[in-house]
PDB file of all heavy atoms in Angstrom:
ATOM      1  N   TYR A  35      -4.085   6.116   1.945  1.00  0.00           N
ATOM      2  CA  TYR A  35      -4.521   4.864   2.549  1.00  0.00           C
ATOM      3  C   TYR A  35      -4.414   4.975   4.062  1.00  0.00           C
ATOM      4  O   TYR A  35      -3.530   5.657   4.588  1.00  0.00           O
ATOM      5  CB  TYR A  35      -3.659   3.702   2.073  1.00  0.00           C
ATOM      6  CG  TYR A  35      -3.882   3.307   0.623  1.00  0.00           C
ATOM      7  CD1 TYR A  35      -3.296   4.027  -0.409  1.00  0.00           C
ATOM      8  CD2 TYR A  35      -4.680   2.214   0.296  1.00  0.00           C
ATOM      9  CE1 TYR A  35      -3.498   3.669  -1.729  1.00  0.00           C
ATOM     10  CE2 TYR A  35      -4.882   1.843  -1.031  1.00  0.00           C
ATOM     11  CZ  TYR A  35      -4.294   2.573  -2.037  1.00  0.00           C
ATOM     12  OH  TYR A  35      -4.501   2.209  -3.350  1.00  0.00           O
ATOM     13  N   GLN A  37      -3.866   2.483   7.389  1.00  0.00           N
ATOM     14  CA  GLN A  37      -3.465   1.136   7.764  1.00  0.00           C
ATOM     15  C   GLN A  37      -3.534   0.980   9.274  1.00  0.00           C
ATOM     16  O   GLN A  37      -2.718   1.565  10.003  1.00  0.00           O
ATOM     17  CB  GLN A  37      -2.052   0.812   7.263  1.00  0.00           C
ATOM     18  CG  GLN A  37      -1.666  -0.639   7.493  1.00  0.00           C
ATOM     19  CD  GLN A  37      -0.302  -0.985   6.933  1.00  0.00           C
ATOM     20  OE1 GLN A  37       0.555  -0.117   6.776  1.00  0.00           O
ATOM     21  NE2 GLN A  37      -0.091  -2.261   6.611  1.00  0.00           N
ATOM     22  N   GLY A  42      -3.998  -4.718   6.318  1.00  0.00           N
ATOM     23  CA  GLY A  42      -3.503  -4.145   5.078  1.00  0.00           C
ATOM     24  C   GLY A  42      -4.019  -2.726   4.914  1.00  0.00           C
ATOM     25  O   GLY A  42      -5.013  -2.334   5.530  1.00  0.00           O
ATOM     26  N   GLN A  48      -8.289   9.115  -4.008  1.00  0.00           N
ATOM     27  CA  GLN A  48      -7.217   9.422  -4.949  1.00  0.00           C
ATOM     28  C   GLN A  48      -7.462  10.787  -5.583  1.00  0.00           C
ATOM     29  O   GLN A  48      -8.594  11.114  -5.941  1.00  0.00           O
ATOM     30  CB  GLN A  48      -7.115   8.376  -6.049  1.00  0.00           C
ATOM     31  CG  GLN A  48      -5.931   8.598  -6.997  1.00  0.00           C
ATOM     32  CD  GLN A  48      -5.874   7.577  -8.108  1.00  0.00           C
ATOM     33  OE1 GLN A  48      -6.466   7.753  -9.168  1.00  0.00           O
ATOM     34  NE2 GLN A  48      -5.146   6.485  -7.866  1.00  0.00           N
ATOM     35  N   GLN A  56     -11.493   9.183  -7.110  1.00  0.00           N
ATOM     36  CA  GLN A  56     -12.193   8.023  -6.565  1.00  0.00           C
ATOM     37  C   GLN A  56     -12.100   8.073  -5.049  1.00  0.00           C
ATOM     38  O   GLN A  56     -11.089   8.547  -4.501  1.00  0.00           O
ATOM     39  CB  GLN A  56     -11.581   6.716  -7.081  1.00  0.00           C
ATOM     40  CG  GLN A  56     -12.383   5.478  -6.684  1.00  0.00           C
ATOM     41  CD  GLN A  56     -11.810   4.196  -7.241  1.00  0.00           C
ATOM     42  OE1 GLN A  56     -10.735   4.169  -7.830  1.00  0.00           O
ATOM     43  NE2 GLN A  56     -12.548   3.111  -7.068  1.00  0.00           N
ATOM     44  N   ASN A  99      -0.282   2.838 -16.799  1.00  0.00           N
ATOM     45  CA  ASN A  99      -0.575   1.741 -15.892  1.00  0.00           C
ATOM     46  C   ASN A  99       0.650   1.453 -15.031  1.00  0.00           C
ATOM     47  O   ASN A  99       1.290   0.429 -15.174  1.00  0.00           O
ATOM     48  CB  ASN A  99      -0.960   0.513 -16.702  1.00  0.00           C
ATOM     49  CG  ASN A  99      -1.537  -0.583 -15.820  1.00  0.00           C
ATOM     50  OD1 ASN A  99      -1.930  -0.339 -14.693  1.00  0.00           O
ATOM     51  ND2 ASN A  99      -1.566  -1.793 -16.336  1.00  0.00           N
ATOM     52  N   GLU A 101       2.864   1.309 -11.268  1.00  0.00           N
ATOM     53  CA  GLU A 101       2.680   0.935  -9.877  1.00  0.00           C
ATOM     54  C   GLU A 101       2.744   2.167  -8.983  1.00  0.00           C
ATOM     55  O   GLU A 101       3.292   3.202  -9.353  1.00  0.00           O
ATOM     56  CB  GLU A 101       3.759  -0.070  -9.465  1.00  0.00           C
ATOM     57  CG  GLU A 101       5.168   0.367  -9.762  1.00  0.00           C
ATOM     58  CD  GLU A 101       5.585   0.064 -11.200  1.00  0.00           C
ATOM     59  OE1 GLU A 101       4.882  -0.710 -11.891  1.00  0.00           O
ATOM     60  OE2 GLU A 101       6.603   0.622 -11.644  1.00  0.00           O
ATOM     61  N   ALA A 102       2.180   2.027  -7.789  1.00  0.00           N
ATOM     62  CA  ALA A 102       2.181   3.100  -6.810  1.00  0.00           C
ATOM     63  C   ALA A 102       3.375   2.948  -5.877  1.00  0.00           C
ATOM     64  O   ALA A 102       3.716   1.842  -5.461  1.00  0.00           O
ATOM     65  CB  ALA A 102       0.889   3.069  -5.999  1.00  0.00           C
ATOM     66  N   GLY A 105       5.010   6.511   0.581  1.00  0.00           N
ATOM     67  CA  GLY A 105       5.854   7.211   1.528  1.00  0.00           C
ATOM     68  C   GLY A 105       6.018   6.395   2.797  1.00  0.00           C
ATOM     69  O   GLY A 105       5.495   5.285   2.918  1.00  0.00           O
TER      70      GLY A 105
ATOM     71  N   TYR B  36       4.448  -5.961  -2.279  1.00  0.00           N
ATOM     72  CA  TYR B  36       5.199  -4.970  -1.525  1.00  0.00           C
ATOM     73  C   TYR B  36       5.814  -5.625  -0.311  1.00  0.00           C
ATOM     74  O   TYR B  36       5.265  -6.583   0.247  1.00  0.00           O
ATOM     75  CB  TYR B  36       4.284  -3.835  -1.037  1.00  0.00           C
ATOM     76  CG  TYR B  36       3.782  -2.902  -2.123  1.00  0.00           C
ATOM     77  CD1 TYR B  36       2.647  -3.211  -2.855  1.00  0.00           C
ATOM     78  CD2 TYR B  36       4.448  -1.713  -2.398  1.00  0.00           C
ATOM     79  CE1 TYR B  36       2.184  -2.350  -3.841  1.00  0.00           C
ATOM     80  CE2 TYR B  36       3.989  -0.842  -3.379  1.00  0.00           C
ATOM     81  CZ  TYR B  36       2.856  -1.173  -4.103  1.00  0.00           C
ATOM     82  OH  TYR B  36       2.408  -0.320  -5.079  1.00  0.00           O
ATOM     83  N   GLN B  38       6.972  -4.584   3.631  1.00  0.00           N
ATOM     84  CA  GLN B  38       6.790  -3.524   4.615  1.00  0.00           C
ATOM     85  C   GLN B  38       7.525  -3.873   5.900  1.00  0.00           C
ATOM     86  O   GLN B  38       7.261  -4.909   6.511  1.00  0.00           O
ATOM     87  CB  GLN B  38       5.300  -3.279   4.910  1.00  0.00           C
ATOM     88  CG  GLN B  38       5.068  -2.084   5.813  1.00  0.00           C
ATOM     89  CD  GLN B  38       3.591  -1.754   5.981  1.00  0.00           C
ATOM     90  OE1 GLN B  38       2.733  -2.621   5.924  1.00  0.00           O
ATOM     91  NE2 GLN B  38       3.289  -0.466   6.192  1.00  0.00           N
ATOM     92  N   GLY B  43       6.475   2.624   5.432  1.00  0.00           N
ATOM     93  CA  GLY B  43       5.569   2.462   4.310  1.00  0.00           C
ATOM     94  C   GLY B  43       5.950   1.255   3.470  1.00  0.00           C
ATOM     95  O   GLY B  43       7.087   0.796   3.490  1.00  0.00           O
ATOM     96  N   THR B  49       5.263  -5.939 -10.104  1.00  0.00           N
ATOM     97  CA  THR B  49       3.946  -5.864 -10.710  1.00  0.00           C
ATOM     98  C   THR B  49       3.810  -7.025 -11.684  1.00  0.00           C
ATOM     99  O   THR B  49       4.718  -7.296 -12.473  1.00  0.00           O
ATOM    100  CB  THR B  49       3.749  -4.563 -11.508  1.00  0.00           C
ATOM    101  OG1 THR B  49       4.026  -3.447 -10.676  1.00  0.00           O
ATOM    102  CG2 THR B  49       2.323  -4.467 -12.016  1.00  0.00           C
ATOM    103  N   TYR B  51       0.936  -8.655 -14.541  1.00  0.00           N
ATOM    104  CA  TYR B  51      -0.243  -8.217 -15.269  1.00  0.00           C
ATOM    105  C   TYR B  51      -1.105  -9.357 -15.811  1.00  0.00           C
ATOM    106  O   TYR B  51      -2.317  -9.210 -15.964  1.00  0.00           O
ATOM    107  CB  TYR B  51       0.153  -7.306 -16.430  1.00  0.00           C
ATOM    108  CG  TYR B  51       0.755  -5.992 -15.998  1.00  0.00           C
ATOM    109  CD1 TYR B  51       2.117  -5.739 -16.163  1.00  0.00           C
ATOM    110  CD2 TYR B  51      -0.041  -5.007 -15.424  1.00  0.00           C
ATOM    111  CE1 TYR B  51       2.668  -4.527 -15.760  1.00  0.00           C
ATOM    112  CE2 TYR B  51       0.512  -3.797 -15.017  1.00  0.00           C
ATOM    113  CZ  TYR B  51       1.859  -3.565 -15.190  1.00  0.00           C
ATOM    114  OH  TYR B  51       2.401  -2.372 -14.790  1.00  0.00           O
ATOM    115  N   THR B  96     -11.452   1.465 -12.055  1.00  0.00           N
ATOM    116  CA  THR B  96     -11.162   1.814 -10.678  1.00  0.00           C
ATOM    117  C   THR B  96      -9.668   2.033 -10.513  1.00  0.00           C
ATOM    118  O   THR B  96      -8.862   1.440 -11.242  1.00  0.00           O
ATOM    119  CB  THR B  96     -11.651   0.740  -9.696  1.00  0.00           C
ATOM    120  OG1 THR B  96     -11.326   1.144  -8.375  1.00  0.00           O
ATOM    121  CG2 THR B  96     -10.963  -0.594  -9.960  1.00  0.00           C
ATOM    122  N   TYR B  97      -9.309   2.876  -9.578  1.00  0.00           N
ATOM    123  CA  TYR B  97      -7.909   3.214  -9.389  1.00  0.00           C
ATOM    124  C   TYR B  97      -7.354   2.685  -8.073  1.00  0.00           C
ATOM    125  O   TYR B  97      -6.152   2.688  -7.869  1.00  0.00           O
ATOM    126  CB  TYR B  97      -7.750   4.734  -9.430  1.00  0.00           C
ATOM    127  CG  TYR B  97      -8.278   5.330 -10.716  1.00  0.00           C
ATOM    128  CD1 TYR B  97      -9.568   5.860 -10.784  1.00  0.00           C
ATOM    129  CD2 TYR B  97      -7.511   5.338 -11.863  1.00  0.00           C
ATOM    130  CE1 TYR B  97     -10.063   6.379 -11.960  1.00  0.00           C
ATOM    131  CE2 TYR B  97      -7.997   5.858 -13.056  1.00  0.00           C
ATOM    132  CZ  TYR B  97      -9.268   6.379 -13.094  1.00  0.00           C
ATOM    133  OH  TYR B  97      -9.754   6.893 -14.258  1.00  0.00           O
ATOM    134  N   LYS B  98      -8.213   2.204  -7.194  1.00  0.00           N
ATOM    135  CA  LYS B  98      -7.736   1.819  -5.875  1.00  0.00           C
ATOM    136  C   LYS B  98      -7.059   0.459  -5.906  1.00  0.00           C
ATOM    137  O   LYS B  98      -7.344  -0.382  -6.757  1.00  0.00           O
ATOM    138  CB  LYS B  98      -8.905   1.779  -4.882  1.00  0.00           C
ATOM    139  CG  LYS B  98      -9.909   0.675  -5.162  1.00  0.00           C
ATOM    140  CD  LYS B  98     -11.013   0.710  -4.125  1.00  0.00           C
ATOM    141  CE  LYS B  98     -12.033  -0.387  -4.363  1.00  0.00           C
ATOM    142  NZ  LYS B  98     -13.142  -0.334  -3.370  1.00  0.00           N
ATOM    143  N   TYR B  99      -6.143   0.284  -4.967  1.00  0.00           N
ATOM    144  CA  TYR B  99      -5.534  -1.008  -4.714  1.00  0.00           C
ATOM    145  C   TYR B  99      -6.305  -1.662  -3.572  1.00  0.00           C
ATOM    146  O   TYR B  99      -6.617  -1.011  -2.577  1.00  0.00           O
ATOM    147  CB  TYR B  99      -4.076  -0.867  -4.286  1.00  0.00           C
ATOM    148  CG  TYR B  99      -3.096  -0.527  -5.384  1.00  0.00           C
ATOM    149  CD1 TYR B  99      -3.503  -0.052  -6.623  1.00  0.00           C
ATOM    150  CD2 TYR B  99      -1.738  -0.675  -5.176  1.00  0.00           C
ATOM    151  CE1 TYR B  99      -2.593   0.267  -7.614  1.00  0.00           C
ATOM    152  CE2 TYR B  99      -0.813  -0.367  -6.156  1.00  0.00           C
ATOM    153  CZ  TYR B  99      -1.244   0.099  -7.370  1.00  0.00           C
ATOM    154  OH  TYR B  99      -0.324   0.411  -8.343  1.00  0.00           O
TER     155      TYR B  99
END
Side-chain angles (χ1 to χ4, degrees):
Chain A
Y35 289 80
Q37 187 177 25
Q48 185 182 89
Q56 187 178 7
N99 191 17
E101 52 276 346
Chain B
Y36 289 86
Q38 186 174 30
T49 306
Y51 294 108
T96 180
Y97 303 96
K98 67 179 180 182
Y99 285 15

